Amino acid sequence: LERHRGIVQQHFDEVFRDAPAENAGADYKDESEIWLGVLPEQETVRRLQELGYQDTAETVRRLTAQLASSRYKQLPASSRQRFDTLMPIVISKSAEEANPDQALLRTTDLLDNICRRASYLALLAESPAALSLVVKLVAASPWLSQYLSQHPILLDELLDTRQLYAPPDFTAMYRELKKRLAENEGDIERQMDLMRHFKHAAVFRFAAQDIAGELRLEKLSDYLSALADLILQATLELLWPTIRGKHRDVPQFAVIGYGKLGGKELGYASDLDIIFLYDDDAPGAGEAYARLGQRINTWLSSMTAAGTLYETDIELRPDGASGLLVSSVEAFRDYQLSKAWTWEHQALTRARFCVGDRKVGAAFEAIRNEVLMQQRDLDKLRQEITAMRQKMLDAHPNTSELFDLKHDRGGIIDVEFMVQYLVLAYAHAHPELTGNIGNLALLKLLGELGYISSQQAKTAAAAYRLYRRLQHSIRLQGETRARVPRKQVETHVRAVLALWQALFGQG
């Protein structure tokens, strides 16, 4: 084994020999002296200030600590040489960013995490363009920096920027994923990792386009939602043949998306709100589909060496957490028409057939339309919706001085509740309101139909669009709570609260 490893290492060193390293040292002589600590500290600080660094004392401390760290010192000589080649370039490229100190800190943290993998250091040493792009991406987003650290295999995506910035071809992507899965048939663990690497690579490409300013928020959400559908379809097709008791080649089974998946408004870290339906009278069909639903849920949420695919929420199924994991179409219809709470009908306004048997999907859409187009007592509907809104508000108290974009009054949930109220109230008269076209398009339609003024529709839509954009950018900065100074959104908060007052008679 050692003999073979030696041969492989020899060829590897020849392929990745640092021919440009000597030139790189000449091009970045000042930065190299900063990194190697050969200058008096005062001179190092002066040079960093000339480059544009602000917190130079802290930056020097970090660089000194990294150079003295056991992780760096224990690297093989070839890896340490590559690291010494990369760091001066990183110092120079970070200085070109808006916040050089932050860019340098995040990039060096990333290099520190991957430095024991010689192939990644070699890749970056041989591709200055890829290294420059790494600096730009991690400088723009700590979330993306962490994502790269967790999945360094994504660095391969940086080598072909034409592919990195190309619009996704989801049909070709699906064929490629199916091909990879088929090549590893029978190796479940390998297939799970393959699907996770596939998803991470796609998300990374979308994020690179997003940070480069080439994606509108709505287009990004469309991409992420289409990717989730693709993965759900591949998962369904992969798992059904493995189900004990399966009684047909193609399952009469569908995955239904709710929430952000249903409304095609997924973000980078969104959960998947899903339920499972089937329409099959065969003996034992219910048990087989229950196993399939459980396997799909486990497949998506299990942690492997490559991470997870998605966190899932399956509590929107009939009877919630106490209900069956998988429902027949008939049972689902009965529940929605006779047992479901108003908030479950609200959720149904943002639900859609995602993948699976199209006949089952069509049956779901028919039930959804039937439920949404029921004529309702408007006073009772208003009372139930405002009561549920208060319940959600109580469950997410905000004691900070910042405005919570999602949960606070005048925020995202208020806009969504108002759209849901208007759909449930008037879809019986205007079936077009049952279309799953998204909150922005529904607000415009409601304005055209006269249920709210056109001006109210525009201001509410502007608020919703801004809130989602801010929520998204905050997520890219690694924050878990989307909160901003209230004065930043005060005009929009007032507009949303004014519409709420007009519809429900309360602030």
Side-chain angles (χ1 to χ4, degrees):
L1 179 61
E2 283 300 323
R3 183 169 61 84
H4 288 296
R5 288 179 63 190
I7 293 170
V8 171
Q9 184 67 48
Q10 176 189 337
H11 290 304
F12 184 91
D13 289 341
E14 288 174 358
V15 169
F16 291 110
R17 181 173 291 128
D18 289 330
E22 295 174 12
N23 294 334
D27 293 341
Y28 297 97
K29 182 174 181 295
D30 286 354
E31 291 86 349
S32 183
E33 290 177 342
I34 290 171
W35 160 242
L36 294 173
V38 297
L39 302 170
E41 184 174 338
Q42 204 168 6
E43 176 64 12
T44 301
V45 167
R46 186 188 68 78
R47 291 192 185 184
L48 285 170
Q49 287 173 339
E50 284 183 352
L51 286 169
Y53 286 86
Q54 303 296 317
D55 192 358
T56 49
E58 176 61 17
T59 298
V60 169
R61 188 193 69 76
R62 288 291 306 238
L63 291 173
T64 302
Q66 190 158 23
L67 190 66
S69 69
S70 59
R71 179 173 291 196
Y72 169 78
K73 288 183 173 180
Q74 291 170 8
L75 288 174
S78 59
S79 292
R80 196 159 61 247
Q81 182 184 356
R82 290 188 182 106
F83 203 95
D84 292 342
T85 300
L86 292 172
M87 281 303 299
I89 303 173
V90 168
I91 292 170
S92 176
K93 295 299 180 184
S94 296
E96 298 172 7
E97 299 301 318
N99 188 331
D101 305 272
Q102 195 175 72
L104 179 61
L105 172 62
R106 291 176 187 166
T107 309
T108 52
D109 280 348
L110 173 63
L111 291 178
D112 201 43
N113 282 327
I114 68 172
C115 67
R116 292 176 189 260
R117 305 187 186 191
S119 58
Y120 294 135
L121 291 181
L123 183 155
L124 293 173
E126 290 299 311
S127 177
L131 181 59
S132 295
L133 191 50
V134 166
V135 175
K136 284 186 178 299
L137 293 174
V138 302
S141 168
W143 177 84
L144 196 54
S145 177
Q146 184 181 23
Y147 202 67
L148 268 174
S149 293
Q150 291 171 338
H151 314 292
I153 195 173
L154 297 175
L155 291 171
D156 290 335
E157 299 292 322
L158 301 175
L159 294 178
D160 185 354
T161 52
R162 291 171 303 173
Q163 179 69 21
L164 186 67
Y165 294 118
D169 180 342
F170 288 102
T171 302
M173 288 168 64
Y174 183 70
R175 285 197 301 265
E176 176 62 24
L177 177 58
K178 292 283 286 182
K179 178 185 174 186
R180 293 187 204 173
L181 292 171
E183 288 170 351
N184 290 271
E185 186 176 357
D187 188 343
I188 296 295
E189 289 186 15
R190 177 64 179 150
Q191 289 177 321
M192 291 181 83
D193 283 347
L194 272 171
M195 198 175 284
R196 282 153 176 74
H197 288 314
F198 174 87
K199 185 238 179 174
H200 298 327
V203 170
F204 180 70
R205 289 196 296 272
F206 301 160
Q209 294 176 36
D210 180 19
I211 287 171
E214 297 188 9
L215 281 185
R216 290 182 301 108
L217 178 61
E218 290 86 351
K219 179 62 73 175
L220 173 66
S221 292
D222 285 346
Y223 284 178
L224 291 169
S225 301
L227 176 64
D229 286 356
L230 183 160
I231 287 173
L232 285 168
Q233 182 66 38
T235 301
L236 173 58
E237 292 181 3
L238 181 72
L239 295 181
W240 176 243
T242 71
I243 298 300
R244 177 168 49 87
K246 76 177 181 69
H247 52 290
R248 60 176 73 249
D249 291 335
V250 179
Q252 294 177 346
F253 176 95
V255 181
I256 308 300
Y258 277 77
K260 289 184 177 179
L261 176 62
K264 295 186 178 181
E265 294 182 347
L266 283 184
Y268 287 120
S270 296
D271 296 349
L272 298 189
D273 293 319
I274 51 178
I275 68 167
F276 306 115
L277 297 181
Y278 71 93
D279 190 12
D280 192 335
D281 294 330
E287 290 83 353
Y289 293 130
R291 293 189 194 101
L292 177 60
Q294 185 60 60
R295 287 289 304 279
I296 290 172
N297 190 50
T298 301
W299 183 275
L300 295 173
S301 59
S302 291
M303 174 68 75
T304 76
T308 62
L309 278 170
Y310 296 98
E311 293 296 326
T312 57
D313 185 344
I314 52 177
E315 293 194 0
L316 279 168
R317 63 188 187 271
D319 290 317
S322 63
L324 295 173
L325 181 63
V326 178
S327 298
S328 69
V329 166
E330 183 180 355
F332 180 77
R333 179 178 182 276
D334 178 66
Y335 179 84
Q336 289 292 337
L337 291 174
S338 61
K339 301 176 184 176
W341 298 79
T342 297
W343 67 265
E344 292 176 285
H345 288 175
Q346 287 178 249
L348 206 57
T349 66
R350 299 180 71 198
R352 66 181 174 90
F353 162 66
C354 292
V355 301
D357 186 276
R358 292 191 177 280
K359 288 183 179 178
V360 179
F364 163 77
E365 295 294 349
I367 295 167
R368 177 180 177 273
N369 289 343
E370 183 181 4
V371 171
L372 296 184
M373 290 173 63
Q374 292 180 101
Q375 193 158 356
R376 292 171 167 83
D377 180 326
L378 295 190
D379 288 336
K380 183 181 178 185
L381 181 62
R382 276 192 292 268
Q383 289 171 10
E384 290 177 339
I385 286 182
T386 53
M388 176 52 69
R389 180 65 186 101
Q390 186 60 48
K391 188 174 181 180
M392 292 185 69
L393 197 63
D394 293 342
H396 296 89
N398 178 12
T399 56
S400 75
E401 295 181 0
L402 299 174
F403 178 76
D404 191 302
L405 293 167
K406 180 177 181 180
H407 296 290
D408 282 357
R409 294 307 318 272
I412 287 173
I413 289 179
D414 276 6
V415 177
E416 292 176 346
F417 268 46
M418 288 188 290
V419 171
Q420 290 161 11
Y421 162 72
L422 291 166
V423 169
L424 293 177
Y426 301 112
H428 71 278
H430 296 278
E432 60 268 39
L433 287 172
T434 64
N436 196 332
I437 55 177
N439 287 305
L440 295 173
L442 282 169
L443 282 166
K444 182 181 179 183
L445 178 57
L446 287 161
E448 292 170 352
L449 293 173
Y451 291 114
I452 54 176
S453 72
S454 295
Q455 184 59 33
Q456 286 173 321
K458 287 179 182 177
T459 55
Y464 189 72
R465 186 179 286 109
L466 175 68
Y467 293 160
R468 285 195 60 217
R469 191 176 297 123
L470 288 171
Q471 190 181 45
H472 173 72
S473 62
I474 290 169
R475 178 64 196 172
L476 276 177
Q477 293 309 308
E479 299 292 334
T480 54
R481 288 180 172 175
R483 293 178 176 177
V484 299
R486 188 180 176 96
K487 64 181 180 181
Q488 184 179 346
V489 292
E490 184 64 43
T491 302
H492 297 285
V493 172
R494 288 180 181 173
V496 172
L497 289 176
L499 181 54
W500 185 278
Q501 172 71 31
L503 291 177
F504 298 110
Q506 55 177 255

